[in-house]
Every structure is written in C-alpha cells, then in structure tokens.
Amino acid sequence: MAQPNHDLTARGAGSAGDVLGTYLRAQATAFLRALRLHEEWGSPRTESGGGADAAGGSDAARSLRGAARRISGSLSTFRVVTESSWADGLRTELVWLSSTLADEHAYAARLTRLLDALHRLSGSPEVPAPRGAAGSLTVGSARAGALLERQLTLARTRAHSATLQALGSSRFHAVADAVAVLASEVPLDPVAARGRVEDVLVPLAEVARTRLAAAVSALPPAAEAHPYDPDHDGSWHEVRRLLRVHRYAREALGEDVARLVVAGEALDRHRDAAEAAAASATAARTPRIAPATAYALGVLHADQRHEVEAARFTFRDVWHPAPATAP
C-alpha cells in the first residue's frame, strides 16, 4: 500500500485534542443512536413485526458494534492524547461489548453461507460424486445441511442468550453511561491535546500503519500457501484487525479510506470463509454420520477453503495493485 498522504489530514481544524475529540464525540453519538434503535427494535411491542424487526435489530446491532470498534480503536491508537487510565478502561469494555454482540450475527451468517454453498454445490455438474455413489452429494447435502443447522442454531441460541444477559447487566449500563459522557466531553491529556495534528496525531497514526505493513509483509507468499491448510488463518485475521485500527485512525484524521474499506471487505470475506470451513470440518467429525453426509461436508470444506484463497488473492490485489501497462 502506498504511503499515506498527510496532506489529506484536517489541517487548520484545530489542535490534536480538537480533531480527536470531534471524532470521538461523533462516534459516541452514533453509538447512543444505534443503542436506542436496538432497544426499540427489540422491545416487546415490535416483536410481532417478524422479518422487518429482525432486520432492523440486526442493522442497529451492526451500527452499535461499528461505533464501539471505532471508539476503542481510536483510544488505542491515540491513547497518549487522552487520559490514559480512562481510555484503557473504556477500550477494554468496548472490546468486550462488540465481541459479545458479534457472536450471534456471526453464527447466523455462517449458517446462511454454508447452506447457500451446499445448495450451489449439490446442483453443480463440476463436483463429481464418489465412485459407486451417484447422487451422493445431493443426498448428503440435505443431511449435512440439517446437521449444520442443528449445530449452528444451538450456538446462535447460546450467543443470543449471552447477548441478552450482557445488555441487561450492570457492566453494560456502565459502558453506556461512559459513552454518554464521551458524547459531550472527551477526557484529554492537557499537554498532548494542545499539540498540532501534524506533530501528535499523524505520527501516532503512522505507528498503526507501520504495524499493519509489518503484519502484511509477514504473511506467507501466495505461491507457498496450501489451499487447504488453515494454519495461516490466524496471521490473516491479525492483518484484518490491524487494518481496522489503521482505517479508523485515518478516519479520525479526515482522510479518504475508500481503498482501506475495499481491502477490509476482502479480509471480512476471508474471515467468514475460514470460519465456515472450520464449522464444516467440525460437523464432519460428528460421530456416526453417514458416508454421504461426510462426503458433502468434505466438498463444502474444500469449497470454503477455495473461497479463503480467493479472498486472499483479492486483498493482495488491492494492497499491491499491478502496475498499469501502457496501451
């Protein structure tokens, strides 16, 4: 990725504290707005709304997670500009909250992804049936889908219960109260906050970029990555996390992050496919499943690992685009 253009920062917009404070207050306001919507969509009077209410609740939860991640990421990158003890405490609680809220959505999205893939694969002439088992994939897909639905629906139900418990806890209410205070007043370090953006925020954002660049450089070369080896997934997930931190830092500086968004979407697809592959592998280890079911799950696992490789290729293409050739 090219070096950041520091000319895009909000020069002349005030001190480092002014710029960071404006961004954090905006994200805190977005958090509170999403929380209010989430409570409205989840209230008893709207439960009869069915799909529309589920979609509204999902959108609100997504917005809530996004605001929480932006606040926690900014508090990490620009920690020295804030009251560090306050920033550390709030960041820890926001990471807990966003992780808790993400689990239910992740299980639901994983199940949808796997069932869609099974449906696509069972009707594909490019997937051969095992010897002496014509039609095995079609039969096995139905059983594999039922098995995955049982396992992931159970996991989603547990995650939903954990979310409800978290949202009703005193811990969550303390987080919401802290964010409400943040929406009007950002605790800042009196010295660092008076510095210029170029002298304070830009170097801190550059640290986040450098960490990301190092993590990307440490990824295994594409030619050496085995299509079905999940051992490298962890390093890719770490790149995804660092990319988010880098992106939020650039957002706070007022820079264009469109390219980072595209790269992040590729890594999101990578994470989704990797976790779907792991879920299919887990299901395949279920005791006493029929051979046709195991075969369908094996085909599904291979398909999702191919999706992982495709996402890695897309990210590399965005991060290191091929040079334009002369006509």
Side-chain angles (χ1 to χ4, degrees), residues 14-17 190-200:
S15 66
V191 177
R194 289 200 299 267
R196 299 193 311 160
V197 171
E198 293 87 344
D199 297 335
V200 179

Side-chain angles (χ1 to χ4, degrees), residues 59-126:
D59 289 344
R62 187 178 301 108
S63 297
L64 192 61
R65 295 196 307 270
R69 288 195 303 264
R70 282 170 168 82
I71 296 171
S72 62
S74 299
L75 292 178
S76 175
T77 301
F78 304 116
R79 177 178 180 271
V80 299
V81 187
T82 66
E83 291 184 2
S84 57
S85 60
W86 163 84
D88 293 344
L90 181 56
R91 184 177 73 247
T92 298
E93 295 304 280
L94 289 172
V95 169
W96 160 75
L97 177 61
S98 60
S99 176
T100 301
L101 293 175
D103 285 345
E104 180 181 359
H105 168 75
Y107 286 122
R110 196 170 307 151
L111 177 59
T112 298
R113 180 187 187 91
L114 288 168
L115 294 182
D116 287 348
L118 278 173
H119 179 74
R120 169 174 50 83
L121 292 168
S122 62
S124 173
E126 300 177 1

Side-chain angles (χ1 to χ4, degrees), residues 230-304:
D231 291 344
H232 300 310
D233 287 349
S235 58
W236 281 87
H237 296 335
E238 178 65 6
V239 168
R240 176 177 175 268
R241 184 188 71 81
L242 292 172
L243 176 61
R244 273 186 169 173
V245 174
H246 171 55
R247 172 186 162 192
Y248 299 153
R250 298 301 165 181
E251 283 183 358
L253 293 176
E255 296 186 7
D256 180 6
V257 296
R259 193 179 181 192
L260 299 179
V261 170
V262 175
E265 289 171 348
L267 293 179
D268 287 346
R269 292 193 298 273
H270 175 277
R271 187 274 316 270
D272 294 345
E275 292 185 346
S280 62
T282 298
R285 291 192 292 269
T286 301
R288 298 183 297 279
I289 60 175
T293 306
Y295 172 70
L297 289 169
V299 172
L300 180 60
H301 178 265
D303 174 74
Q304 292 303 301

